[in-house]
Amino acid sequence: MEKTIFIIPGFRHKAYMSQYTWMKSFFKAKGFNAHFVPIHWDRKVMSDYVVEFEEYYVKHKTEKNYVLGFSFGAMIAFISAQQLQPDRLYLCSLSPYFKEDLHTLKSYWRKFIGKNRVQDFKKVSAKQIATQVKIPITIFYGGAEAKKYPQLKVRCEKTSKDIKNAKLVFVKDAPHQLNHPNYIEAIKKQF
């Protein structure tokens, strides 16, 4: 049986970056076709990224399909899960930019991500998605990133409680980086 894992990178990240390079050989050794999803980040909003991923997924899916997203990529994976129905979802450092989170955004961060993205985030409820998704989901977040970005920790924990088939994985001392040794080990244990 052919199985594929779709890896959706974080905001403005590319597959060749050090956070992702270890994944290709790891997933290949586990028998997966590893697809790094190319997202065109500039001048677009979350709903555009979701459509871009959905089109890529439909074109490349196989018999068994898994999706792993990091940060913004985790948002894309989560938002598209109900529509695409992959076999399993892995959300790494799920970004806290859903409708329920926007009141916590600092003004400098709103300015950085842009008015159009913030307006688009207002249309997406994590709670609503969580009640609709019926597939197994594993949510990861790191200890160091939880200290630096407390709302990310809140979002990961709330989402894991709201989803019926969710597993929460706390990654000790890990910052917002998938290539941290503890993050790598935590992901590997789930496969």
Side-chain angles (χ1 to χ4, degrees), residues 1-184:
M1 177 185 327
E2 192 174 6
K3 58 184 183 176
T4 299
I5 186 157
F6 295 87
I7 301 160
I8 311 171
F11 187 57
R12 295 191 173 154
H13 288 187
K14 304 288 183 196
Y16 61 79
M17 296 173 92
S18 62
Q19 290 205 58
Y20 308 99
T21 52
W22 66 272
M23 291 183 174
K24 188 161 189 146
S25 59
F26 171 72
F27 286 120
K28 185 176 180 182
K30 292 288 184 183
F32 286 93
N33 298 318
H35 282 269
F36 289 92
V37 181
I39 300 292
H40 300 91
W41 299 109
D42 292 338
R43 302 183 204 284
K44 293 186 180 180
V45 297
M46 184 57 67
S47 56
D48 296 324
Y49 308 143
V50 169
V51 169
E52 193 172 349
F53 170 60
E54 289 174 347
E55 289 171 355
Y56 187 91
Y57 179 93
V58 168
K59 186 176 179 183
H60 295 94
K61 68 180 181 174
T62 56
E63 296 169 74
K64 278 279 213 200
N65 299 284
Y66 301 81
V67 179
L68 184 149
F70 172 65
S71 197
F72 259 40
M75 283 186 74
I76 295 166
F78 186 49
I79 294 166
S80 65
Q82 181 64 23
Q83 173 73 24
L84 298 178
Q85 290 295 308
D87 294 288
R88 190 166 192 95
L89 207 58
Y90 299 89
L91 305 178
C92 302
S93 305
L94 180 62
S95 290
Y97 305 125
F98 293 91
K99 178 169 66 174
E100 299 89 342
D101 305 308
L102 294 179
H103 69 281
T104 67
L105 280 184
K106 306 255 190 268
S107 59
Y108 73 87
W109 188 245
R110 283 178 182 268
K111 187 175 181 180
F112 173 74
I113 60 175
K115 177 176 62 174
N116 291 338
R117 285 193 188 101
V118 172
Q119 288 302 315
D120 195 59
F121 292 150
K122 289 179 181 179
K123 301 173 190 174
V124 186
S125 167
K127 180 87 169 171
Q128 182 180 4
I129 295 167
T131 61
Q132 296 171 349
V133 175
K134 306 296 184 216
I135 59 174
I137 298 177
T138 303
I139 301 172
F140 303 83
Y141 75 91
E145 75 180 337
K147 288 178 185 168
K148 189 171 183 178
Y149 310 110
Q151 189 60 31
L152 184 145
K153 174 185 182 227
V154 169
R155 170 52 41 223
C156 290
E157 290 177 349
K158 278 186 179 177
T159 302
S160 72
K161 288 177 185 170
D162 291 339
I163 298 171
K164 193 173 191 172
N165 294 317
K167 177 180 183 179
L168 184 64
V169 177
F170 172 74
V171 186
K172 186 178 180 198
D173 299 327
H176 197 66
Q177 292 178 271
L178 288 181
N179 61 343
H180 185 276
N182 294 357
Y183 224 135
I184 291 172

